[in-house]
Amino acid sequence: MLKNRVFVALALVAALLCFAAIPCFAAKAEYTIKVGYILPETQSDHIIMRDVFKKDVESKSGGRIKVELYPNAQLGGDRELIESVQLGTIQMAIPATSALAGFEKRFQVFDLPFLFKSKKAAYKALDGELGKKIDALLPPLRMVNLGYGENGYRHVTNNRGPVTKPADLKGLKLRTMENPMHIAFFKLLGANPTPMNFGELYTALQQKTVDGEENPISLVYTSKFYEVQKFYSLTGHVYSATMLLTNKAFFEKLPKDLQKVVADAARRYVTEQRKLSDKQEQKFLADLKKAGMQINDLTPEQKAAFVKVTQPVYDQFKDQLGAELVEAAKKVANEK
């Protein structure tokens, strides 16, 4: 009898210690946010998603929200991710703004060639009136934007040679995004633009299905395009931003206090992701050189030739974008 009492007492003590030290049974989250993106684990979007957004949301919601991250195009390319957010099969995605053009033509305003002369000008536009005008286009598409992250300036890679003048692109079969404006201005430059899903790109370059592609420094490095491309020309033809998209119905279903938690975490994500993106860009460019890629920058005079050739795009797409939107973009475009 005494032994039984001792056993029961020890069991109770063990149970109390378990609950005091670490919870034996974790509280089940009330909401789950699945976040999909094409970017790899080494890229700034994933790192800040993991270290800032996920931690902030889970801790500040008191465990009521669980965040699941799906990098490396596990859930599809940008188009598929946007469609999944629309349908509510995932709650969030981080596509390039360019990818939204297939859903609403006015998103192409960010893709006007050589629009932003500096990152500072781009941030001002994205975080200011232009960004708000674009954000207002999303609710009818069943989505909400929680902030603009950074991909960086897009540049051209290929195996034929350096690109320092428009003639160097003539006949080049160049993978582009499924974005009408990108296709239009590369046609003006004499290239043969070939829209293709990002997930298929490395193999297409390896098998020479396409001659080259155009992407920001971070994506060229983290996707290991240096293994299948020799020349990287810093054309900077488009400043590429990303959007932190969420399903409108899901976000509005969250209690007000949790909406604030998610929105606050998204704002911190944007700030920290831009900082890390800039640092990574400098490091990755040096690493691309070490990997054997030939990097060539363009002089202001060389870039001016590209600007001149692609200017007709502004008039070509003015009706689609709306004169007001184009003027709003131009207003901040020349700021340093």
Side-chain angles (χ1 to χ4, degrees), residues 279-331:
K279 289 179 182 176
Q280 284 194 332
E281 194 172 82
Q282 297 172 47
K283 180 182 183 301
F284 290 161
L285 190 61
D287 289 342
L288 286 171
K289 290 178 182 177
K290 289 177 186 175
M293 224 175 183
Q294 183 177 316
I295 313 294
N296 65 285
D297 209 344
L298 274 66
T299 65
E301 293 75 22
Q302 288 173 329
K303 188 167 284 190
F306 286 85
V307 173
K308 184 178 180 180
V309 172
T310 56
Q311 281 306 292
V313 167
Y314 282 72
D315 288 331
Q316 184 180 338
F317 284 83
K318 196 169 185 177
D319 289 341
Q320 290 186 30
L321 299 177
E324 182 186 354
L325 202 54
V326 173
E327 289 309 310
K330 285 182 175 180
K331 187 177 178 181

Side-chain angles (χ1 to χ4, degrees), residues 55-63 258 261 268:
K55 285 184 179 179
D56 277 6
V57 169
E58 291 183 343
S59 64
K60 293 178 182 178
S61 71
L258 294 186
V261 165
R268 201 159 88 88

Side-chain angles (χ1 to χ4, degrees), residues 31 54 78 92 130 137 170 197 236 247 298 300 302:
Y31 305 94
K54 177 179 168 67
D78 274 348
M92 294 183 77
L130 182 61
L137 303 175
K170 190 172 182 179
N197 189 301
N247 176 269
L298 274 66
Q302 288 173 329

Side-chain angles (χ1 to χ4, degrees), residues 89-149:
T89 51
I90 64 173
Q91 291 68 45
M92 294 183 77
I94 315 177
T97 54
S98 304
L100 272 297
F103 298 82
E104 162 58 69
K105 291 178 180 178
R106 284 173 285 181
F107 281 104
Q108 293 175 99
V109 69
F110 293 133
D111 298 293
L112 287 165
F114 304 101
L115 179 65
F116 299 119
K117 302 298 185 290
S118 68
K119 287 187 176 183
K120 183 181 176 182
Y123 297 159
K124 184 173 181 179
L126 294 167
D127 299 339
E129 287 305 311
L130 182 61
K132 288 175 185 175
K133 287 178 185 294
I134 295 300
D135 290 347
L137 303 175
L138 285 165
L141 299 173
R142 306 191 299 279
M143 295 181 290
V144 174
N145 178 33
L146 297 178
Y148 291 93

Side-chain angles (χ1 to χ4, degrees), residues 12-275:
L12 285 169
V13 170
L16 287 169
L17 286 171
C18 173
F19 281 104
I22 18 180
C24 292
F25 304 98
K28 187 177 179 181
E30 298 172 46
Y31 305 94
T32 299
I33 298 178
K34 292 182 179 179
V35 190
Y37 38 97
I38 66 171
L39 305 153
E41 289 95 335
T42 49
Q43 211 259 3
S44 58
D45 293 75
H46 175 77
I47 293 169
I48 302 302
M49 251 300 139
R50 180 194 66 203
D51 296 348
V52 174
F53 183 84
K54 177 179 168 67
K55 285 184 179 179
D56 277 6
V57 169
E58 291 183 343
S59 64
K60 293 178 182 178
S61 71
R64 293 165 66 194
I65 302 177
K66 179 184 178 183
V67 179
E68 297 178 357
L69 306 180
Y70 296 90
N72 281 316
Q74 291 177 51
L75 303 181
D78 274 348
R79 183 175 183 84
E80 290 84 2
L81 290 168
I82 295 166
E83 289 172 346
S84 295
V85 171
Q86 278 189 304
L87 294 169
T89 51
I90 64 173
Q91 291 68 45
M92 294 183 77
I94 315 177
T97 54
S98 304
L100 272 297
F103 298 82
E104 162 58 69
K105 291 178 180 178
R106 284 173 285 181
F107 281 104
Q108 293 175 99
V109 69
F110 293 133
D111 298 293
L112 287 165
F114 304 101
L115 179 65
F116 299 119
K117 302 298 185 290
S118 68
K119 287 187 176 183
K120 183 181 176 182
Y123 297 159
K124 184 173 181 179
L126 294 167
D127 299 339
E129 287 305 311
L130 182 61
K132 288 175 185 175
K133 287 178 185 294
I134 295 300
D135 290 347
L137 303 175
L138 285 165
L141 299 173
R142 306 191 299 279
M143 295 181 290
V144 174
N145 178 33
L146 297 178
Y148 291 93
E150 178 170 277
N151 258 346
Y153 282 100
R154 304 182 76 88
H155 311 291
V156 175
T157 76
N158 78 103
N159 282 327
R160 194 167 72 183
V163 175
T164 59
K165 56 186 182 298
D168 293 330
L169 285 168
K170 190 172 182 179
L172 194 75
K173 193 170 184 182
L174 193 75
R175 179 269 177 182
T176 65
M177 301 181 72
E178 295 177 27
N179 181 295
M181 192 175 291
H182 284 212
I183 294 167
F185 67 68
F186 275 116
K187 281 184 177 178
L188 284 172
L189 290 166
N192 178 13
T194 307
M196 182 183 295
N197 189 301
F198 185 82
E200 302 168 6
L201 181 51
Y202 183 95
T203 303
L205 292 168
Q206 189 177 44
Q207 296 178 351
K208 296 181 173 39
T209 306
V210 290
D211 303 315
E213 55 83 48
E214 48 85 48
N215 263 301
I217 292 166
S218 61
L219 280 179
V220 170
Y221 180 75
T222 56
S223 301
K224 298 185 178 181
F225 292 155
Y226 54 83
E227 295 178 345
V228 287
Q229 296 277 271
K230 176 67 176 174
F231 301 97
Y232 195 21
S233 302
L234 306 184
T235 52
H237 47 276
V238 166
Y239 174 82
S240 181
T242 58
M243 273 182 162
L244 194 53
L245 291 183
T246 186
N247 176 269
K248 182 176 181 288
F250 170 79
F251 187 73
E252 291 177 346
K253 181 180 70 176
L254 292 173
K256 293 293 183 184
D257 62 321
L258 294 186
Q259 285 184 21
K260 186 177 186 306
V261 165
V262 173
D264 288 349
R267 277 191 290 272
R268 201 159 88 88
Y269 162 84
V270 168
T271 300
E272 297 304 320
Q273 189 272 337
R274 285 176 180 174
K275 288 180 187 175

